[in-house]
Amino acid sequence: MSLQPHHDGSATYVPEQEPALGQTVPVFVRVPVGAGVDQVYLRTTGDGEPRFAAAVVDRTAGGDVWWRAEVEVRNPVSNYRFLLDGAAGARWLNAAGTAGHDVPDHGDFKLVSHAPPPAWARDAVIYQIFPDRFARSAAADGRPAPDWAIPCDWDTPVIGRGPETSRQFYGGDLDGITERLDHLERLGVNTVYLTPIFPARSNHRYDASSFDTVDPLLGGDAALVRLADAVRARGWRLVGDITSNHTGDAHTWFTDAVSDVHAPERELYYFDLPGSDYESWNGVTSLPKLNWGSAELRHRFATAEDSLLRRWLRPPYGLDGWRVDVANMTGRRGADAYTHEVARLLREVVAQTRPDALLLAEHGHDHTGDLDRDGWHGTMNYVGFTDPVWSWLRAGDDPVPNFLGTPGGVRRRDADAVLATMNAYRSLVSWRSYTHSWQLLGSHDSARIRTVVGDAARQEVAAGLLATMPGTPVVFAGDELGLTGTNGEGSRTPMPWHRPESWDRRTFEAYRSLLALRRDEPALRHGGLRWVYADADTLVFLREAPTGTVLALARRAPGVPVHLPGLPAADNIYGGAPALHPNAPLPADGPTFQLWRARRGPA
């Protein structure tokens, strides 16, 4: 194995996973015998002042020395790192790895004493549904298309670009989802995430005209109750989608504000601005921006007993949480900086209303400054997972549009750059925030993974990373069938229920098998993450837990055999490679994803 000292926030290294303020928590660092380390010191920064304490040897096992130290949870977020000293010289070990030079504190390990996310979230496997394109019940045929819509039958091609994209209306509804839950059961998910379900003037419904009712085109409030009951009957969870940054310009709050300059709704938005009538999301005038400096907005949106945030968490609907749209921009405009206040407020209200509810933030770029407070439980990890996986596995020479439109699209990168990207974002948040963030291969806002990687073999590698790395895996409906799409609009593809011959059965079986392994292997849900090898085409890592260890190999192309000294004997549990024996090479074929379970405890 790699002779690198290691620590992460998993239970192997931090046995107390929910520390309380004022508690003293033991932490362990693992140092290979041959690493040239004679002494380990713990550095903490309680109340902003650095302090050092000598660690002690706890045990020696499997060629590693395990050092123990004690961290006082002095502040709501308590930073710590290790100083490794000895024949190899003095080095820091922080969340980014080892360094022979001084490093800033923001990369330190973190213990967070804010109330933890709901326990169920660590075991969640999420299925994202865009309701207009998932399934139609028989009742949908009796609903006339709205005046804003371009009616489409289920086989009408999706328009990927242009003003008509948001107007294509396929008529999927909530009862259609309820009727198809057996498909989700076969796949192996346990949480359903719905993009917005409120009335609007678009197929995506992010331009809500009201938060008070479910869109009648989806079956109304009663259909949501039927879906929620069916989801709960299977022991699953149901997560909704709320827009905290804006409403639609047809929303009653906004129309009241426009019709009367003295209306109380006027303060909910930004009006009378130089050069424009009002602020909107990225200049899209149909999406007027909410002003979180308004006490009235905070009351209506969150704190009122009948607020929209509370209503849908309560029976008979009982949503299990919210994914918060455009959380990165919520409360931010010029000198206004309410984002962290809003996140704290929404979490407080959610916890009061439903203590086991999740609050997850959308963030398309650097999210690290918005986590580890008493706000969002986690984020959609586009930058720390989606983008690097895309850049490593992308196929073809045509540009692939990236989420949020990076010029030139997705660049092709080797595994060292991919690993550096993943580690950079992971190291700047706590293990808790990292493991409670959503890992995804794509969504309704991005290209489809099959279009990015080009074929089933590489998609299987991507799905393997999705199912086995830390974090909450999210499957965008249709990815498991091999559906394609070049951008966010084009990927909102109707599910081909009536054309089962078009399904990529190999891809479905890969997703099903990998998700089953995640469910059955505690190390894949709760274990640490230790990278042990990377070359341009290969990534090898361990998921380690007190219950055992799983070794993963991901290859995008054939390469040379990988020899890892000290590799434990292990049995293959995915991919069909032979069992591993000590000092045996890892397979060289590819693209491939392979998993082995070690025959003994943590490696």
Side-chain angles (χ1 to χ4, degrees):
M1 292 288 179
S2 169
L3 294 180
Q4 290 296 318
H6 184 74
H7 175 85
D8 60 44
S10 66
T12 299
Y13 300 91
V14 185
E16 176 53 69
Q17 289 289 289
E18 296 183 4
L21 194 64
Q23 185 177 359
T24 298
V25 174
V27 296
F28 296 88
V29 61
R30 173 190 205 144
V31 180
V33 170
V37 174
D38 301 323
Q39 182 60 60
V40 174
Y41 299 93
L42 175 78
R43 177 186 183 268
T44 57
T45 54
D47 297 337
E49 181 68 16
R51 296 176 178 83
F52 288 84
V56 298
V57 174
D58 183 80
R59 66 190 185 277
T60 300
D64 294 313
V65 180
W66 291 79
W67 296 77
R68 175 190 171 111
E70 306 281 337
V71 177
E72 180 188 2
V73 185
R74 177 78 179 180
N75 307 113
V77 179
S78 297
N79 286 12
Y80 66 98
R81 68 169 82 155
F82 301 96
L83 178 64
L84 312 176
D85 211 350
R91 289 171 289 166
W92 293 112
L93 172 63
N94 69 358
T98 56
H101 58 277
D102 287 341
V103 291
D105 292 353
H106 61 248
D108 284 358
F109 302 108
K110 299 172 178 65
L111 292 178
V112 181
S113 62
H114 295 302
W120 61 265
R122 283 294 299 275
D123 294 323
V125 177
I126 297 175
Y127 193 76
Q128 181 193 358
I129 293 177
F130 189 82
D132 184 59
R133 311 291 164 83
F134 188 71
R136 288 171 61 97
S137 71
D141 295 335
R143 301 182 190 119
D147 58 3
W148 54 261
I150 301 172
C152 300
D153 65 44
W154 211 245
D155 286 320
T156 300
V158 172
I159 301 171
R161 297 186 186 280
E164 296 180 338
T165 55
S166 66
R167 297 169 55 208
Q168 281 191 289
F169 179 72
Y170 290 79
D173 62 0
L174 298 185
D175 285 324
I177 298 171
T178 303
E179 293 167 1
R180 295 291 181 176
L181 292 181
D182 284 350
H183 173 79
L184 280 63
E185 184 94 53
R186 288 191 294 273
L187 183 61
V189 303
N190 59 21
T191 303
V192 179
Y193 154 50
L194 303 175
T195 59
I197 57 175
F198 302 118
R201 296 185 59 80
S202 69
N203 53 40
H204 55 72
R205 296 185 172 89
Y206 284 101
D207 56 332
S209 59
S210 170
F211 295 126
D212 298 331
T213 185
V214 173
D215 193 336
L217 295 170
L218 293 174
D221 294 3
L224 179 60
V225 173
R226 289 190 290 271
L227 174 59
D229 287 346
V231 166
R232 279 191 290 269
R234 295 172 187 257
W236 300 353
R237 304 282 177 163
L238 182 63
V239 176
D241 198 324
I242 192 68
T243 53
S244 59
N245 179 71
H246 55 263
T247 67
D249 61 356
H251 197 285
T252 52
W253 296 350
F254 188 74
T255 57
D256 288 348
V258 169
S259 63
D260 180 1
V261 295
H262 301 295
E265 288 79 11
R266 195 83 175 172
E267 73 170 63
L268 308 183
Y269 300 90
Y270 290 94
F271 279 102
D272 306 317
L273 303 175
S276 66
D277 293 331
Y278 58 89
E279 183 83 3
S280 59
W281 175 78
N282 281 351
V284 179
T285 57
S286 63
L287 301 174
K289 184 176 177 69
L290 291 167
N291 177 5
W292 280 94
S294 164
E296 180 64 17
L297 174 62
R298 297 184 185 207
H299 178 73
R300 294 189 185 195
F301 198 101
T303 60
E305 270 304 301
D306 60 347
S307 73
L308 70 100
L309 202 65
R310 296 185 193 273
R311 172 180 177 174
W312 303 102
L313 297 175
R314 291 173 173 149
Y317 316 105
L319 294 182
D320 293 285
W322 293 107
R323 176 264 196 187
V324 181
D325 183 56
V326 198
N328 56 304
M329 294 181 72
T330 295
R332 288 188 169 113
R333 182 195 175 272
D336 287 354
Y338 304 118
T339 301
H340 299 140
E341 287 182 40
V342 175
R344 183 185 307 114
L345 175 67
L346 299 191
R347 179 161 168 181
E348 179 182 315
V349 169
V350 164
Q352 288 172 352
T353 310
R354 176 102 188 244
D356 65 341
L358 181 71
L359 189 67
L360 198 288
E362 181 196 25
H363 215 310
H365 53 101
D366 182 5
H367 53 260
T368 57
D370 285 349
L371 300 184
D372 291 326
R373 300 170 184 258
D374 48 357
W376 320 126
H377 288 133
T379 188
M380 299 179 79
N381 193 14
Y382 285 108
V383 290
F385 183 81
T386 314
D387 287 358
V389 170
W390 280 16
S391 67
W392 187 51
L393 293 176
R394 68 151 294 187
D397 297 322
D398 295 333
V400 176
N402 201 355
F403 181 69
L404 293 181
T406 301
V410 180
R411 269 68 170 183
R412 186 178 289 105
R413 293 189 171 97
D414 290 342
D416 57 346
V418 168
L419 191 52
T421 303
M422 289 182 172
N423 284 340
Y425 287 102
R426 177 192 50 76
S427 68
L428 296 180
V429 298
S430 70
W431 184 256
R432 174 191 287 182
S433 288
Y434 175 57
T435 55
H436 285 90
S437 290
W438 288 3
Q439 313 285 42
L440 57 168
L441 298 175
S443 72
H444 70 291
D445 280 326
S446 76
R448 289 268 187 186
I449 184 62
R450 173 57 66 86
T451 296
V452 174
V453 302
D455 59 40
R458 287 196 172 202
Q459 185 174 350
E460 184 174 354
V461 177
L465 294 171
L466 177 73
T468 61
M469 286 189 64
T472 304
V474 180
V475 178
F476 179 36
D479 279 355
E480 75 277 16
L481 306 183
L483 300 189
T484 59
T486 58
N487 62 9
E489 298 287 355
S491 71
R492 299 172 187 180
T493 320
M495 290 286 284
W497 302 113
H498 60 304
R499 290 185 285 106
E501 71 282 357
S502 70
W503 297 13
D504 184 337
R505 300 287 177 176
R506 167 184 170 175
T507 296
F508 180 84
E509 182 57 30
Y511 275 76
R512 189 202 64 76
S513 299
L514 287 162
L515 294 179
L517 281 170
R518 185 179 184 90
R519 180 184 65 243
D520 295 340
E521 294 288 338
L524 296 180
R525 290 178 284 113
H526 304 296
L529 174 66
R530 189 152 63 113
W531 296 97
V532 294
Y533 180 82
D535 62 36
D537 297 315
T538 312
L539 289 167
V540 183
F541 59 92
L542 290 166
R543 298 298 312 279
E544 299 167 311
T547 54
T549 296
V550 174
L551 173 70
L553 165 72
R555 278 192 183 274
R556 69 177 180 185
V560 298
V562 176
H563 292 266
L564 297 176
L567 194 70
D571 298 311
N572 188 272
I573 56 175
Y574 184 83
L580 289 178
H581 302 285
N583 301 315
L586 298 178
D589 56 326
T592 188
F593 188 81
Q594 304 284 340
L595 287 177
W596 293 266
R597 182 193 298 116
R599 291 178 186 167
R600 56 184 177 85

